[in-house]
Amino acid sequence: MNRVLHHEVDREETDDALAAGMQASRLQDFLKGRRDRLELSQTQVAERLDISDRSYGSWERGRVKEWTDEKLYALAEALEMSEYQTTRLFLYAVGRAPQPDLMATFHRTELQNPAVAAFLGDYTVMMDALSLPTFVINQRWDVKMANKAYRDLFREVRSHPTAMPLGNFLRFGLFHPDAHTVLADRRKWQLAMLAQLSSSIERHDDDPKLQLLRREVLLNPVLRDAYLKDMPNWVLGSGADLVHHEGTVRALRHPDARLGLQGCRLVEETPRSLKALGLTRLTLVLVGAFSPHFEMASRDHGFQKGHSVTSDVTPGRARAQVANTAAA
């Protein structure tokens, strides 16, 4: 009997060792692949982390006594990882996704740093010097910074208690009655925004503000139909990761009559310094006069007037999330 028990224990220990080895191998391949993609040496990454070359070599080989959230967030910043890549890092290192509360605390602490506040002040000045509408958002799509060109773009929008363009980008596009006066193609803007909402909730499913926004969408009959029925089909046709899909052009009407109806491409260009604070910078790139038939086609659809946004939701994720929402 004892021999059988010892054999079972030995086999479990062997299985655990094999699993740990496979996990370390995946982590090593992931980190090295990311470093190679950035064309960085181990020494350069170590400098970004303010640790020794030897220590980083151990990190990359997975030989770490204990992975803490602070270490993993720092590593994600040093290797310029996206949110999706950061999630993969946590799964490979500690077998779980990042904890949003800890991530928010990490970013909030950084934002309270006087040096960070000074940097953000200087960054705002730099943004104001740009001619294109540029703004910075957090994970909830709250607008944290915006330049003069962005403010001018929405200067004729009437006051609204909860959906101003300098408040929350998604909420403005979905609920402000004047959103269509700037974002001319209602259907494409709106579907993209709803896809972004779906994607954001998937990544931050315990965020109360995102959950509240979805509840408000589902209470609106037109938005509910678009979210549950039309948005998943739109994602299937348009593809995923639209936040980086810089070929997508939508119609935007500038209040300056000399510009009028323009094609608009939404481009993300977030430096590491902002990404480390949980912020994303977006620019509305105006690409020239847009064809009038663009707006006419949108009149055939019974969508509320919407706003620009991008999405990295995949077709499979969209179908699953919509199914869960409909069942709720």
Side-chain angles (χ1 to χ4, degrees):
M1 184 68 174
N2 287 337
R3 287 182 180 178
V4 173
L5 289 175
H6 284 307
H7 178 70
E8 290 295 328
V9 170
D10 290 343
R11 187 170 65 181
E12 289 178 2
E13 290 177 350
T14 301
D15 290 344
D16 290 343
L18 287 172
M22 291 175 62
Q23 186 173 358
S25 178
R26 285 197 297 267
L27 178 62
Q28 180 178 358
D29 291 343
F30 179 67
L31 294 178
K32 185 178 185 303
R34 183 63 190 158
R35 179 170 58 79
D36 289 345
R37 179 67 179 271
L38 297 173
E39 299 181 348
L40 296 173
S41 66
Q42 288 193 355
T43 298
Q44 289 172 311
V45 178
E47 289 174 352
R48 291 184 176 190
L49 290 165
D50 196 23
I51 61 177
S52 68
D53 295 6
R54 183 176 180 180
S55 293
Y56 177 72
S58 296
W59 284 29
E60 190 167 290
R61 291 189 295 274
R63 296 175 182 173
V64 177
K65 181 177 292 187
E66 180 184 6
W67 283 113
T68 64
D69 284 41
E70 288 75 16
K71 284 181 181 178
L72 292 170
Y73 285 134
L75 186 54
E77 178 188 350
L79 291 174
E80 303 177 27
M81 292 184 186
S82 67
E83 194 163 7
Y84 172 78
Q85 291 165 337
T86 301
T87 298
R88 301 311 303 171
L89 172 64
F90 270 74
L91 290 173
Y92 291 147
V94 294
R96 60 169 173 81
Q99 298 178 41
D101 290 343
L102 291 177
M103 185 183 295
T105 301
F106 177 78
H107 290 149
R108 187 164 56 248
T109 301
E110 287 294 306
L111 288 169
Q112 293 169 351
N113 186 315
V116 172
F119 159 73
L120 292 177
D122 293 342
Y123 198 85
T124 301
V125 173
M126 183 276 293
M127 285 174 52
D128 271 334
L130 302 176
S131 60
L132 292 172
T134 300
F135 58 110
V136 173
I137 59 171
N138 62 10
Q139 69 180 35
R140 297 167 171 171
W141 289 74
D142 296 327
V143 177
K144 309 305 289 186
M145 294 187 284
N147 70 349
K148 183 178 183 300
Y150 179 90
R151 297 191 295 272
D152 287 346
L153 182 64
F154 299 103
R155 65 176 179 252
E156 296 180 3
V157 169
R158 293 171 294 174
S159 179
H160 190 281
T162 62
M164 291 302 290
L166 285 170
N168 182 281
F169 195 62
L170 290 178
R171 186 173 288 280
F172 165 73
L174 292 171
F175 295 109
H176 199 295
D178 292 347
H180 71 288
T181 62
V182 178
L183 305 158
D185 184 0
R186 295 175 296 178
R187 179 174 185 267
K188 290 189 177 180
W189 282 111
Q190 183 143 50
L191 289 176
M193 292 192 74
L194 292 172
Q196 179 61 58
L197 175 61
S198 177
S199 174
S200 295
I201 290 175
E202 181 181 316
R203 296 195 308 270
H204 308 287
D205 61 353
D206 61 349
D207 189 304
K209 286 192 175 181
L210 289 173
Q211 293 289 352
L212 174 61
L213 181 54
R214 181 170 62 177
R215 285 197 295 273
E216 292 180 33
V217 164
L218 295 176
L219 287 172
N220 182 299
V222 176
L223 289 176
R224 177 185 172 86
D225 284 347
Y227 186 79
L228 296 178
K229 299 176 184 178
D230 299 292
M231 182 270 291
N233 292 329
W234 178 83
V235 170
L236 285 171
S238 298
D241 199 22
L242 294 180
V243 112
H244 302 101
H245 187 58
E246 298 175 0
T248 300
V249 177
R250 301 183 182 91
L252 180 147
R253 182 176 288 104
H254 201 283
D256 187 335
R258 294 169 297 178
L259 296 174
L261 192 64
Q262 293 275 313
C264 174
R265 180 177 289 121
L266 188 60
V267 177
E268 184 207 353
E269 42 183 357
T270 308
R272 281 197 316 120
S273 48
L274 285 183
K275 190 175 294 184
L277 299 172
L279 302 174
T280 300
R281 175 182 159 191
L282 300 171
T283 298
L284 295 164
V285 179
L286 306 182
V287 295
F290 208 88
S291 172
H293 77 78
F294 189 91
E295 192 172 22
M296 292 173 60
S298 69
R299 296 196 187 107
D300 296 332
H301 303 275
F303 288 88
Q304 258 182 272
K305 292 151 183 156
H307 188 70
S308 107
V309 136
T310 52
S311 169
D312 58 1
V313 65
T314 62
R317 291 173 181 170
R319 287 194 300 269
Q321 187 173 24
V322 168
N324 291 337
T325 302

